[in-house]
Amino acid sequence: MKKDPTAIVFDSSKVRLEVGDEYPLFFDVFVDDIEIETEVTFTSSNTDIVTVDEYGWMNAHALGSAVITATTNNGIKATCNIEVVENITTVFRLAGDNRYATAFATADFM
């Protein structure tokens, strides 16, 4: 006799993404204390900020917060808070006393 799921557990209750990121949700579904494979549907509280597809892949669209809800076929639910932040780009300036020293600094950096 097949038992219905009793819990969904996300690996993290809060995920931070940058605008433009694609990232999978990591979660497990359990019957009592045994992990199982089962179909889960996902919804986003604010699809302008983050969307999630049927496989659990999130796409960050705009700055802000949203809540992703995972639901099993028997109505068990779990939520994950998503925060979308600005892209942060770090720029490094490499230089040496001459073109050879600059080339060595660049090679060492990579």
Side-chain angles (χ1 to χ4, degrees), residues 31-109:
V31 170
D32 301 323
D33 291 332
I34 301 169
E35 185 179 346
I36 65 166
E37 294 285 326
T38 190
E39 188 174 317
V40 175
T41 57
F42 301 97
T43 57
S44 172
S45 65
N46 191 334
T47 56
D48 290 336
I49 293 174
V50 64
T51 55
V52 60
D53 69 14
E54 66 270 18
Y55 305 107
W57 278 87
M58 299 177 290
N59 290 297
H61 303 291
L63 301 178
S65 298
V67 176
I68 300 297
T69 302
T71 308
T72 64
N73 56 359
N74 68 329
I76 302 296
K77 295 183 180 194
T79 59
C80 183
N81 296 308
I82 310 300
E83 181 182 4
V84 180
V85 298
E86 287 186 63
N87 294 354
I88 301 170
T89 304
T90 305
V91 177
F92 295 95
R93 184 173 177 91
L94 303 172
D97 292 335
N98 56 44
R99 65 182 182 207
Y100 302 106
T102 301
F104 282 120
T106 303
D108 285 343
F109 179 76

